[in-house]
Amino acid sequence: MHTSVRVFCFFILIFCLPWISPKALAVALEEQEYEQLIQELTQLLVHKKTRGFTYFSVQASQDGYTLKMQPASLGYVRIKPEALGIKNGDEVNVIQASHQFFDKHTKPIAQALFTHSASDVLMLNTTQRYASERADLTHIEYSLFTAVAQVIKAQNALGKVIQIHGYDEEKRATKEAQQADIILSNGTAFAYPYMQKIQTCFRDVGQLLVRIYGRDVFELGGVQNQVGKVLRARNKLHFLHIEVSQRLRLQWNDNNMPEALIQCVLQTS
């Protein structure tokens, strides 16, 4: 076969198959499947059971546990050893990067936050958000990302589910968003006090312009985010939606996210 033909066929396989076979890449679950996943995650996170699951197997190491999801398209989960056995009043911080492929350089930010002692769970998507209609984790009601939030919420835990996103400031509609380094939201137009603390910390420590959705800016609020909807009525376990500008993501990709700013995000509510 001619070399150019081989190259063409390769690109067809890489870029077109996800659209031809969307079901194979679906990360959404049916309601009954979701309820079973909730039960299995509860056995793991609350009761410390590590075997006999349908939707994942648990790989243990000295520095924690990795869930091998079945199918793998459901996502990636890393859990620190001390995070198992969640009970009423525990502080649990979950770090999620829902679009690690599309929102470039959000995975390293999520990983940096996870290295902090206050973080417990790291979650990453494993399927491109536009691979199918059932692949964008922010808009799926029954997914691994909402299931973990639901299980931790049910234990009356303290803490945050922190979701990292990225945006191109040049594509934003308002100057407020274009000029911002970061946009914070909890999925509503009401700013919780801890969000204002983070805003102040980023300004004082990193000389960064952080704007809060619903007060300083009215774009990228994550108001349709399904994880946010799961946690919306909670007073203890909060949803924190962080949009990071492209220029700042590139800067952190070259120089790493400063430890002092990681502490800003994970400071006690």
Side-chain angles (χ1 to χ4, degrees):
M1 186 184 294
H2 195 277
T3 301
S4 60
V5 176
R6 289 197 189 99
V7 172
F8 175 76
C9 292
F10 172 78
F11 280 101
I12 289 293
L13 288 171
I14 293 298
F15 294 106
C16 295
L17 277 181
W19 300 97
I20 296 171
S21 311
K23 189 173 182 180
L25 293 171
V27 300
L29 297 165
E30 301 300 329
E31 185 173 2
Q32 186 174 357
E33 296 172 328
Y34 181 74
E35 291 302 326
Q36 183 179 348
L37 178 59
I38 289 283
Q39 293 176 17
E40 294 187 359
L41 287 169
T42 301
Q43 290 297 310
L44 172 68
L45 294 170
V46 179
H47 301 295
K48 300 184 181 181
K49 178 183 175 182
T50 58
R51 295 183 181 181
F53 301 116
T54 302
Y55 288 100
F56 56 86
S57 58
V58 181
Q59 296 180 336
S61 62
Q62 290 185 345
D63 58 350
Y65 304 90
T66 301
L67 302 194
K68 186 176 181 182
M69 302 306 301
Q70 300 167 3
S73 59
L74 289 177
Y76 171 92
V77 185
R78 184 77 180 161
I79 305 169
K80 290 181 180 176
E82 58 272 20
L84 296 191
I86 298 170
K87 57 184 182 297
N88 191 335
D90 282 352
E91 182 170 342
V92 181
N93 288 311
V94 179
I95 313 299
Q96 296 182 338
S98 309
H99 304 141
Q100 65 157 318
F101 307 118
F102 191 79
D103 294 354
K104 291 182 179 179
H105 311 310
T106 53
K107 177 182 176 180
I109 297 172
Q111 290 175 319
L113 290 169
F114 182 62
T115 61
H116 193 280
S117 59
S119 297
D120 302 285
V121 181
L122 173 67
M123 305 187 69
L124 306 170
N125 69 311
T126 49
T127 300
Q128 221 276 11
R129 66 183 295 188
Y130 294 120
S132 78
E133 293 181 355
R134 294 161 55 86
D136 187 343
L137 282 161
T138 61
H139 296 140
I140 297 172
E141 182 177 6
Y142 300 133
S143 77
L144 173 65
F145 275 43
T146 54
V148 168
Q150 185 75 53
V151 170
I152 297 173
K153 165 187 171 181
Q155 305 312 310
N156 293 313
L158 308 173
K160 305 186 191 79
V161 177
I162 300 168
Q163 213 172 81
I164 307 299
H165 296 271
Y167 67 96
D168 184 345
E169 53 272 25
E170 294 182 358
K171 296 180 179 179
R172 302 322 310 163
T174 62
K175 288 184 178 179
E176 288 79 10
Q178 293 167 3
Q179 295 169 354
D181 294 305
I182 290 175
I183 297 173
L184 294 180
S185 173
N186 57 17
T188 76
F190 177 74
Y192 290 160
Y194 74 82
M195 296 167 62
Q196 298 177 51
K197 291 181 181 178
I198 295 173
Q199 182 185 44
T200 300
C201 188
F202 268 76
R203 181 196 65 201
D204 294 346
V205 174
Q207 290 76 53
L208 297 175
L209 177 56
V210 176
R211 287 188 159 136
I212 296 176
Y213 176 80
R215 189 195 67 186
D216 308 319
V217 67
F218 296 90
E219 299 181 63
L220 302 175
V223 294
Q224 300 300 321
N225 192 292
Q226 291 297 325
V227 174
K229 289 183 178 182
V230 166
L231 301 175
R232 188 157 293 167
R234 299 300 300 172
N235 293 321
K236 296 181 178 179
L237 186 67
H238 298 297
F239 176 61
L240 179 60
H241 185 273
I242 304 179
E243 290 275 1
V244 186
S245 68
Q246 184 177 53
R247 59 178 172 266
L248 189 56
R249 280 180 283 133
L250 290 171
Q251 179 182 326
W252 285 349
N253 187 58
D254 292 337
N255 302 294
N256 298 320
M257 183 179 181
E259 175 66 23
L261 296 183
I262 294 174
Q263 293 180 17
C264 288
V265 175
L266 292 165
Q267 62 184 303
T268 303
S269 302

